[in-house]
Amino acid sequence: MAEPKIGNIREALTSRSFPTITVYNRLEARPRTLDFDRSTRAEVRDALWMLTRQWQMGEYRGDDAASVIFAKIHFDTRHLTKYQADQQETQPFNVNIPLEAQVEQRPLPFAVGSQAIALDLRLLMGRHWLKRIAATGLQQDFIDAYPIRMPDPTSLDDAGICAHPDVWQRVAAAAKRGMDGGTLYLHLKKQPTNHAHDGMGLTPTQQAAIETFEAPFIQWFEKLFYQPDQPSQNAWMPDYLEYQFNLAAPDNGGETVFAADEYYHGRLDWYNLDVDPSKESLPDPQASLPPAPPKPETPKTFVPTQITFDGMPNTRWWSFEDERVNFGDVKPGTKDLSTLLLLEFGLVYSNDWFLFPITLPVGTVTRIEGLAVTNVFGERIWIEAAGRGSDNDWERWNMFTLTTKGDEEQAADTRLLLLPTVPKILEGKPIEEIMLIRDEMANMVWGIETVIPLADGRSKSGREAALETRKYYQRLLNQSLDPNAVSAEAEPVAPIRYKVMVNPVPENWIPFIPVHMPNDNRQVQLQRAALPRILDNDPEPPEKIRPRTVLMRQGLDEEVPAAYFIHEEEVPRAGIRVAQSYQRTRWNDGRVFTWLGVRKLTGRGEGASNLAFDQILPTGKPEST
């Protein structure tokens, strides 16, 4: 039988046009003994086999690579010299204070409007002052001069105290027994010429004795709670609900400005700042700058050390890696790029990296000019930063480098910014918290005070406090009305009635209404407004409900009350949550810093107030509350 002719062998095999016989040849080892002790020793006897194995693995492929014997690093280190909170007065940069405390510091609130708060802190400060002046015998005089006032349950001015029974009890228990140290501290800080004995009628000898305790008292409190020198010298931007600040460092005869425009999450590092080329320099501070530390000597010579880690693949034969690290057990996802890069580094390129340790002081900006590497052949190779080039080139290597603001073509800034920050901060419970949500049905934004500060120093749910406050106002109104002067309501004759506002909103909901930006008919911003407090049978015009948190009272407590605006883009559809709480950390010299800071987090979505206006309701229908 003649053999068939095949024109296309690939097509014939795929279609199986002809029967085929597949033969597999496999080389198997057949042991001659049941003892495997000698086999597991991995004895090396055949040198020819070793040479053949090395040839098979490509170890005879020669190249002109050489080992590194030493290297020189050329770098330039400059210290940060200026700090500016937003557009406030420039201050000398202080490297002895955590940068988080310097940026986030806010003055401790001792009052909300005309209502005194923080009773616990006031009593603590008063007790400390009385202990200091115990030798003078004037404790009772200062208790009388700076008293804790007894609240009046019949006065609307004390509604923030008497509306809450537990707060009322605590304030009444301390009234006329303890000293208000907060009032004393604010009096001493208001004017440099103020003294604790002002208006007390003490003798000159007693006045001189008291004045010696004033400066230590202020130092003690500001060491206990880190406070800004002036209340306005803080970086919090109420209209953006975030911190903004600038840093500056000298650079080649000029100055480089680093700007942080959106810091609010509590973790401060180099990535929060960008190089701002639009600012050539910051204004010189009024206080003299500290002398610049000596410039580090450059270049520095190092003996390169190869990077090693547990479980690193060993480059020599017959040597097993550390079993504590098992790269084969790592199961990264298809989108887990960082894990894949780590595996590639550990398994492929781990022995190609060398370590050149450089110790840098905090509060500095370092530019590495280049690295001169010398190998065993005597060759010197100059290596520059891998991330150099255009700052807009998204494909360049970019790690621990700064971003330059603006859309213009700028050279990449490869400097390393080492800030005086801390790795961990302890955060207390919020003393006040607000939620900003969007209400599409009412076409407005609401600022909900979810946690408010009370007069005794504690905090309470905003909704509970709002209900108690409303009941207190209604009770005072009912007590003030003459029952004989209130006419009985006539029987309704119409089947329907008109109501201006239906479903009143709780008092802890503060409205924000959209208004046009100045000199702009298209862009809008959110302005804080106020709802009326409508009480039953109130013959007087309703008063406006004011916020009870410091975060929402921006501009209300100034000598000339001002409106409060928030940029519309700062309130997304998911809403935001802003909380003010105490922060505590320990610095590198052992000192403890405690300050009041603000955090901003993402909200939980939109909300609905069920607010309605101008509705026709059936007569006699009960109103919803």
Side-chain angles (χ1 to χ4, degrees):
M1 180 177 179
E3 296 182 1
K5 296 183 179 180
I6 301 175
N8 190 334
I9 184 63
R10 186 184 300 274
E11 182 180 353
L13 293 175
T14 302
S15 60
R16 297 187 177 184
S17 303
F18 305 96
T20 59
I21 298 177
T22 304
V23 179
Y24 295 96
N25 291 327
R26 185 170 61 182
L27 180 63
E28 295 184 357
R30 187 169 67 181
R32 300 185 225 179
T33 178
L34 298 178
D35 186 6
F36 288 93
D37 292 342
R38 182 178 179 183
S39 301
T40 56
R41 293 175 187 170
E43 297 179 353
V44 179
R45 293 177 175 270
D46 192 349
L48 181 60
W49 182 87
M50 291 292 298
L51 294 174
T52 306
R53 188 62 175 169
Q54 287 179 288
W55 168 82
Q56 183 181 10
M57 298 301 296
E59 291 195 3
Y60 293 154
R61 296 178 183 177
D63 53 33
D64 57 354
S67 301
V68 179
I69 55 174
F70 67 89
K72 287 186 177 182
I73 298 180
H74 298 253
F75 63 96
D76 180 23
T77 300
R78 304 296 179 96
H79 289 260
L80 296 170
T81 56
K82 298 178 183 179
Y83 167 76
Q84 183 186 39
D86 185 38
Q87 301 298 326
Q88 305 295 333
E89 179 184 340
T90 306
Q91 305 173 15
F93 187 80
N94 193 347
V95 75
N96 298 319
I97 299 175
L99 187 57
E100 293 93 343
Q102 190 171 2
V103 171
E104 299 176 9
Q105 58 175 335
R106 285 172 58 80
L108 268 64
F110 288 97
V112 175
S114 59
Q115 180 64 64
I117 62 172
L119 175 65
D120 54 350
L121 190 57
R122 291 174 180 269
L123 292 176
L124 173 66
M125 300 169 67
R127 181 171 178 267
H128 182 81
W129 173 263
L130 295 178
K131 289 177 63 178
R132 283 185 175 271
I133 66 169
T136 63
L138 299 173
Q139 292 101 324
Q140 188 60 44
D141 297 87
F142 277 93
I143 293 177
D144 297 337
Y146 300 94
I148 302 296
R149 189 178 59 84
M150 179 67 74
D152 183 4
T154 63
S155 174
L156 294 178
D157 295 334
D158 292 335
I161 299 177
C162 300
H164 318 293
D166 51 346
V167 179
W168 185 5
Q169 292 175 358
R170 287 181 172 85
V171 177
K176 299 182 180 180
R177 294 182 177 91
M179 174 187 168
D180 189 350
T183 303
L184 172 61
Y185 171 78
L186 296 176
H187 175 70
L188 295 177
K189 293 289 290 186
K190 187 175 182 180
Q191 293 290 339
T193 58
N194 287 355
H195 295 287
H197 55 74
D198 291 343
M200 295 180 60
L202 301 182
T203 64
T205 303
Q206 292 174 328
Q207 293 179 3
I210 291 299
E211 291 176 6
T212 59
F213 299 106
E214 295 174 354
F217 173 71
I218 296 176
Q219 295 174 1
W220 164 81
F221 177 73
E222 294 182 351
K223 182 180 179 181
L224 187 63
F225 296 98
Y226 187 66
Q227 292 285 279
D229 295 335
Q230 299 178 5
S232 61
Q233 288 288 349
N234 66 87
W236 178 251
M237 296 293 295
D239 51 344
Y240 288 96
L241 297 174
E242 58 199 17
Y243 292 100
Q244 295 183 6
F245 63 97
N246 301 313
L247 303 177
D251 181 30
N252 297 330
E255 194 172 78
T256 302
V257 178
F258 305 95
D261 295 335
E262 298 180 4
Y263 170 62
Y264 53 83
H265 40 71
R267 184 66 181 95
L268 182 57
D269 213 331
W270 57 270
Y271 46 76
N272 295 114
L273 293 105
D274 299 328
V275 178
D276 192 350
S278 63
K279 299 178 181 178
E280 297 181 357
S281 63
L282 295 180
D284 292 332
Q286 294 182 358
S288 59
L289 293 174
K295 187 177 179 181
E297 297 181 1
T298 56
K300 288 191 175 182
T301 303
F302 299 91
V303 176
T305 302
Q306 193 172 19
I307 294 179
T308 59
F309 54 89
D310 293 339
M312 177 178 175
N314 202 304
T315 57
R316 296 182 177 275
W317 289 101
W318 312 110
S319 180
F320 293 93
E321 292 82 10
D322 193 341
E323 63 180 359
R324 289 179 296 177
V325 178
N326 184 9
F327 285 101
D329 195 37
V330 180
K331 299 178 178 60
T334 56
K335 298 182 180 180
D336 197 351
L337 182 60
S338 58
T339 304
L340 293 174
L341 290 175
L342 177 62
L343 291 176
E344 185 177 12
F345 163 76
L347 296 174
V348 181
Y349 303 106
S350 58
N351 60 343
D352 296 338
W353 293 81
F354 292 86
L355 180 65
F356 302 90
I358 303 177
T359 302
L360 298 174
V362 296
T364 58
V365 182
T366 301
R367 175 188 285 111
I368 297 180
E369 305 292 347
L371 174 66
V373 178
T374 304
N375 57 25
V376 294
F377 295 156
E379 299 174 337
R380 299 189 64 186
I381 303 173
W382 178 256
I383 302 175
E384 296 182 354
R388 65 186 185 279
S390 174
D391 186 71
N392 296 329
D393 185 6
W394 63 274
E395 294 183 340
R396 69 182 179 90
W397 173 260
N398 189 4
M399 188 174 184
F400 301 113
T401 58
L402 299 168
T403 303
T404 303
K405 297 178 63 175
D407 299 330
E408 298 181 1
E409 190 72 17
Q410 298 284 345
D413 196 317
T414 59
R415 287 178 292 181
L416 175 65
L417 179 61
L418 189 58
L419 300 175
T421 57
V422 292
K424 187 176 182 179
I425 297 177
L426 300 178
E427 184 174 357
K429 294 182 179 180
I431 62 173
E432 61 180 48
E433 182 183 81
I434 62 173
M435 292 279 292
L436 290 171
I437 65 171
R438 289 190 174 272
D439 186 356
E440 295 297 338
M441 296 299 296
N443 193 25
M444 61 190 309
V445 171
W446 294 96
I448 307 174
E449 296 179 315
T450 56
V451 178
I452 65 169
L454 299 177
D456 62 350
R458 299 180 303 161
S459 299
K460 194 170 188 176
S461 167
R463 182 172 181 82
E464 294 181 11
L467 293 175
E468 293 177 351
T469 303
R470 179 177 176 81
K471 291 180 180 178
Y472 175 80
Y473 275 95
Q474 187 66 58
R475 183 171 64 251
L476 289 184
L477 176 63
N478 296 337
Q479 294 175 358
S480 63
L481 291 176
D482 184 3
N484 299 325
V486 180
S487 59
E489 295 184 1
E491 290 293 332
V493 295
I496 59 175
R497 60 192 176 95
Y498 169 75
K499 191 170 182 62
V500 178
M501 185 173 69
V502 187
N503 297 335
V505 180
E507 292 193 1
N508 62 319
W509 285 50
I510 308 301
F512 281 82
I513 58 177
V515 296
H516 284 288
M517 296 281 288
N519 303 322
D520 196 326
N521 294 328
R522 297 178 60 87
Q523 295 184 359
V524 298
Q525 57 185 348
L526 304 174
Q527 180 180 1
R528 180 190 56 205
L531 291 176
R533 179 181 286 116
I534 301 178
L535 304 175
D536 297 336
N537 302 322
D538 189 1
E540 301 294 333
E543 297 181 354
K544 295 181 180 180
I545 301 174
R546 297 302 184 185
R548 299 181 62 177
T549 57
V550 177
L551 293 172
M552 295 288 289
R553 293 185 63 88
Q554 181 67 29
L556 284 179
D557 299 330
E558 298 178 2
E559 295 182 1
V560 179
Y564 177 33
F565 299 92
I566 296 179
H567 292 275
E568 186 187 20
E569 63 271 13
E570 299 300 330
V571 186
R573 297 185 68 88
I576 57 174
R577 179 169 67 92
V578 185
Q580 186 167 245
S581 59
Y582 288 105
Q583 316 292 326
R584 184 179 186 272
T585 190
R586 187 179 295 276
W587 191 224
N588 52 22
D589 58 0
R591 289 183 298 165
V592 175
F593 285 85
T594 305
W595 68 94
L596 193 62
V598 184
R599 300 286 183 267
K600 182 174 71 171
L601 301 173
T602 305
R604 299 180 179 179
E606 299 180 2
S609 61
N610 298 323
L611 179 65
F613 294 93
D614 302 331
Q615 289 194 354
I616 301 298
L617 300 176
T619 302
K621 179 181 178 181
E623 300 179 7
S624 58
T625 58

